[in-house]
Amino acid sequence: MTVTDPTTTQAPVDRCATGQAAHPRPDGQDRYTISEVAALTGLSAHTLRWYERIGLMPDIDRSHTGQRRFTNRDLDWLSLVGKLRLTGMAVADMVRYAELVRAGEHTYEERRQLLLDTREGVRQRIAELQDTLDVLDRKIDFYADSRRAPGRP
């Protein structure tokens, strides 16, 4: 979803509407450890470190002792990454998308095309799943009807 502030002439701000509850901490006080992020997202600490290593979660702040400190913005990004994973998007494509986001507004069209291609794949999977569901429904109906057939208890 794109939200535009009518009082400015800047480009629209991209906000991913995921329907999630508010962040656990307000902005400015949002410094989460890797363990807290793992608990909040369901991802393992190993996965979070891997995401950072491959460029999917770059620029994670560090404390003075070197511990990762995640922000609400990082949580939002991880939510989007989770949605992209559910689409079946390849990790390489997710990393490419992250690179495009970091590169700036001039990559909007390439990002859009990447998401359009992903959406088409999702629509194909939904159609396949609907066909599968139709088969299951026919089988369930068959077995339900066979129980009601004459001569059956």
Side-chain angles (χ1 to χ4, degrees):
M1 175 173 125
T2 302
V3 178
T4 306
D5 181 352
T7 62
T8 67
T9 57
Q10 295 176 338
V13 176
D14 187 11
R15 306 248 190 253
C16 181
T18 61
Q20 288 185 333
H23 296 113
R25 296 182 188 143
D27 288 344
Q29 299 174 17
D30 57 335
R31 292 289 182 242
Y32 305 95
T33 65
I34 198 166
S35 315
E36 291 171 321
V37 173
L40 289 167
T41 63
L43 298 169
S44 69
H46 176 78
T47 298
L48 292 166
R49 287 185 199 101
W50 181 64
Y51 281 1
E52 185 179 14
R53 191 168 54 253
I54 65 172
L56 197 51
M57 283 292 304
D59 305 322
I60 301 298
D61 281 346
R62 302 281 181 143
S63 70
H64 67 282
T65 61
Q67 291 181 317
R68 289 169 182 84
R69 292 291 184 231
F70 295 83
T71 65
N72 288 334
R73 187 172 181 186
D74 296 326
L75 294 178
D76 291 343
W77 178 255
L78 286 169
S79 176
L80 174 62
V81 168
K83 299 295 184 206
L84 294 177
R85 286 179 59 219
L86 287 173
T87 70
M89 182 185 275
V91 172
D93 288 339
M94 287 188 278
V95 170
R96 177 69 184 141
Y97 182 79
E99 290 168 348
L100 292 169
V101 168
R102 286 190 301 277
E105 292 178 11
H106 70 280
T107 65
Y108 275 8
E109 187 53 38
E110 193 173 348
R111 286 187 244 173
R112 181 178 174 276
Q113 190 58 53
L114 185 59
L115 295 175
L116 284 169
D117 294 344
T118 300
R119 180 174 67 183
E120 183 56 32
V122 169
R123 286 183 170 160
Q124 289 173 3
R125 285 182 44 223
I126 289 171
E128 291 168 357
L129 288 170
Q130 187 60 55
D131 288 345
T132 302
L133 183 59
D134 291 344
V135 169
L136 288 173
D137 287 343
R138 284 193 301 273
K139 294 302 271 181
I140 289 167
D141 290 345
F142 171 80
Y143 290 120
D145 290 345
S146 71
R147 293 185 69 195
R148 287 182 251 144
R152 295 264 180 178

